[in-house]
């Protein structure tokens, strides 16, 4: 089995494991506990308050952005604010047939929140069933087929749909237009991540130097899920090596062992960049070629590797594909090519 990637924003079993005395849940449960995404929180506060005043469900919300930025957490918070119960959770790939969706919709109670993760992976046919459900709280179900086909209309209880996607670009126009709020979650700043890990360290009852927490914040790729995962990992180190207190020295030791560098790049990120430099002369190169050379899923590269490398300015998107920037060469300790496209033979990063 490949080694688990600590730095990926994708959910690991430990992130969703039930909380207990040793592993308290680190996710905020209330809107006021949430750190960061200030613009979005303000929109949500207003929408929740307005919906409560009108005694209606809140408008549908589309959340997009890389994994680990809080889309599921926000669905829980909204559901809790609206009707005090958890959201009903499903995902695009789980809804194979229209009947799968209809079954869920007809079981919703008034004011429920339905969370559809990876909503960009809904099939067209299921998507068509979702539209009237979102607009009029009703679904048309075709019974039988051929000349005996009958359409039955089912009224649904008013509900709020929260759709989540890592790919804004893959959401169809008709789908997007049916959401009252559509928001792209940005990476968190180092200051916001510091506040998040300070809160998490308190919840984990882990004494920690502020400087050590600051290092976690800057090495977490702008992603709270990664920050909290790193914190849990280094907690073990602190217990074994440091009498329980997390210091910068212990932190560096732990992150070096995990292969996480000063900017939060892990071995997969660095492999991505070195293959781009070595095999494709720094690009431009298409994502499918990169996925094939690396033996990785295209989705993994697009969802978790590229967004952060784009954000750090290590790669750029061009009409011909992805291209490495001089900063990426410097970070890897490679010599940037003088004229990468005009004379690639001049540059071979495999040479010392
Ligand atoms: N834990 C994970 N994400 C968080 C956030 N945005 N605010 C507070 N705690 C968090």
């Amino acid at each position: 089995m490949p080694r688990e990637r600590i730095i990926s924003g994708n959910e690991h079993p430990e992130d969703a494991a039930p909380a207990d005395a040793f592993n308290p849940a680190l996710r905020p449960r209330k809107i006021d506990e949430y750190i960061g995404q200030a613009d979005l929180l303000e929109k949500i506060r207003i929408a929740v308050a307005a919906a409560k005043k009108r005694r209606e469900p809140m408008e549908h919300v589309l959340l997009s952005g890389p994994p680990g930025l809080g889309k599921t957490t926000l669905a829980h918070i909204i559901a809790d604010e609206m009707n005090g119960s958890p959201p009903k959770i499903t995902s695009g790939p789980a809804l194979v047939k229209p009947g799968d969706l209809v079954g869920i919709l007809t079981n919703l109670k008034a004011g429920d929140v339905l969370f559809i993760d990876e909503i960009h992976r809904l099939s067209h046919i299921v998507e068509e069933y979702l539209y009237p459900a979102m607009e009029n709280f009703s679904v048309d179900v075709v019974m039988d087929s051929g000349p005996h086909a009958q359409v039955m209309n089912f009224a649904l209880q008013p509900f709020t749909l929260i759709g989540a996607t890592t790919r804004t670009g893959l959401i169809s126009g008709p789908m997007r237009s049916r959401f009252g709020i559509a928001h792209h979650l940005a990476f968190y700043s180092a200051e916001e991540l510091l506040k998040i890990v300070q809160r998490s360290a308190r919840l984990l009852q882990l004494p920690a130097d502020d400087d050590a927490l600051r290092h976690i914040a800057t090495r977490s790729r702008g992603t709270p899920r990664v920050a909290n995962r790193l914190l849990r990992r280094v907690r073990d180190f602190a217990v074994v090596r440091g009498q329980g207190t997390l210091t910068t020295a212990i932190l560096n030791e732990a992150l070096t062992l995990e292969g996480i560098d000063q900017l939060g790049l892990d071995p997969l990120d660095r492999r991505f960049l070195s293959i781009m430099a070595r095999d494709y002369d720094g690009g431009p190169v298409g994502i499918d070629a990169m996925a094939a050379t690396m033996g990785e899923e295209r989705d993994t590269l697009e969802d978790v590797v590229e967004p952060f490398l784009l954000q750090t300015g290590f790669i750029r998107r061009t009409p011909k594909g992805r291209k490495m920037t001089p900063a990426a060469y410097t970070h890897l300790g490679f010599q940037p090519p003088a004229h990468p496209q005009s004379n690639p033979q001049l540059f071979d990063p495999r040479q010392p």
Side-chain angles (χ1 to χ4, degrees):
M1 217 175 76
R3 212 166 94 80
E4 167 195 27
R5 190 177 181 231
I6 193 174
I7 212 98
S8 133
N10 286 330
E11 188 150 24
H12 290 188
E14 72 194 38
D15 299 323
D20 58 37
F22 302 105
N23 267 313
L26 301 181
R27 280 182 175 167
R29 301 218 184 111
K30 299 279 173 205
I31 210 161
D32 290 334
E33 289 169 8
Y34 201 96
I35 296 159
Q37 310 293 344
D39 298 353
L40 175 60
L41 288 196
E42 194 51 22
K43 284 193 228 174
I44 291 174
R45 274 200 189 92
I46 291 171
V48 166
K52 280 186 173 166
K53 251 191 177 159
R54 288 198 294 260
R55 295 174 181 276
E56 284 174 2
M58 188 183 135
E59 55 196 331
H60 305 305
V61 184
L62 178 65
L63 300 174
S64 57
L69 297 192
K71 297 186 287 291
T72 313
T73 303
L74 285 164
H76 277 270
I77 289 177
I78 292 171
D80 184 73
E81 292 279 342
M82 286 307 300
N83 72 352
S85 60
K88 308 286 175 285
I89 297 183
T90 184
S91 74
L95 300 172
V96 180
K97 304 182 286 349
D100 300 332
L101 176 67
V102 173
I104 292 175
L105 291 174
T106 50
N107 277 306
L108 292 176
K109 292 193 274 308
D112 271 354
V113 169
L114 172 63
F115 180 70
I116 305 186
D117 202 6
E118 297 188 76
I119 197 164
H120 62 276
R121 293 179 64 188
L122 276 183
S123 67
H124 285 304
I125 170 125
V126 175
E127 211 176 297
E128 293 290 333
Y129 276 76
L130 196 54
Y131 295 158
M134 292 172 76
E135 279 177 351
N136 317 317
F137 302 123
S138 76
V139 270
D140 289 329
V141 180
V142 185
M143 317 288 268
D144 225 331
S145 59
H148 302 293
Q150 274 186 26
V151 177
M152 298 226 351
N153 181 269
F154 287 92
L156 303 172
Q157 296 296 327
F159 69 98
T160 298
L161 174 67
I162 302 186
T165 177
T166 47
R167 305 288 176 76
T168 336
L170 296 185
I171 301 287
S172 69
M175 171 74 108
R176 173 188 291 267
S177 67
R178 286 170 169 87
F179 288 95
I181 296 179
H183 192 96
H184 185 79
L185 277 78
F187 284 117
Y188 291 65
S189 70
E191 281 311 305
E192 289 164 345
L193 285 170
L194 175 60
K195 286 189 192 143
I196 290 173
V197 286
Q198 283 170 335
R199 172 180 178 273
S200 301
R202 264 199 315 277
L203 290 172
L204 292 171
Q205 299 183 347
L206 171 65
D209 295 352
D210 238 25
D211 195 45
L213 295 180
R214 200 173 291 280
H215 276 280
I216 295 185
T218 53
R219 291 161 85 167
S220 300
R221 338 164 47 95
T223 307
R225 184 182 291 158
V226 172
N228 282 335
R229 196 181 298 150
L230 289 180
L231 187 68
R232 285 191 200 270
R233 286 287 164 93
V234 298
R235 176 171 66 155
D236 298 343
F237 255 78
V239 170
V240 177
R241 298 275 165 88
Q243 287 101 36
T245 298
L246 179 61
T247 60
T248 306
I250 292 168
L251 179 95
N252 280 329
E253 198 183 336
L255 296 195
T256 303
L257 197 72
E258 298 286 349
I260 296 165
D261 70 24
Q262 293 299 324
L263 294 182
L265 272 62
D266 78 351
L268 185 62
D269 298 314
R270 288 194 299 272
R271 199 155 74 82
F272 182 95
L273 291 176
S274 26
I275 284 180
M276 197 181 259
R278 201 179 59 215
D279 295 358
Y280 297 99
D281 302 312
V285 51
I287 192 69
D288 285 319
M290 282 300 294
T293 313
M294 293 179 73
E296 292 287 341
E297 295 275 337
R298 175 191 166 135
D299 279 0
T300 308
L301 300 185
E302 283 198 301
D303 286 353
V304 297
V305 177
E306 284 198 336
F308 183 66
L309 295 179
L310 283 164
Q311 153 98 6
T312 18
F314 282 174
I315 57 172
R316 267 188 287 121
R317 280 215 172 110
T318 74
K320 289 189 184 154
R322 284 71 173 161
K323 207 167 169 315
M324 252 171 96
T325 63
Y329 284 92
T330 310
H331 183 72
L332 292 182
F334 292 169
Q335 179 77 39
H339 302 288
Q341 260 60 59
S342 56
N343 199 351
Q345 305 86 293
L346 282 177
F347 170 68
D348 182 353
R350 280 167 293 198
Q351 299 298 318

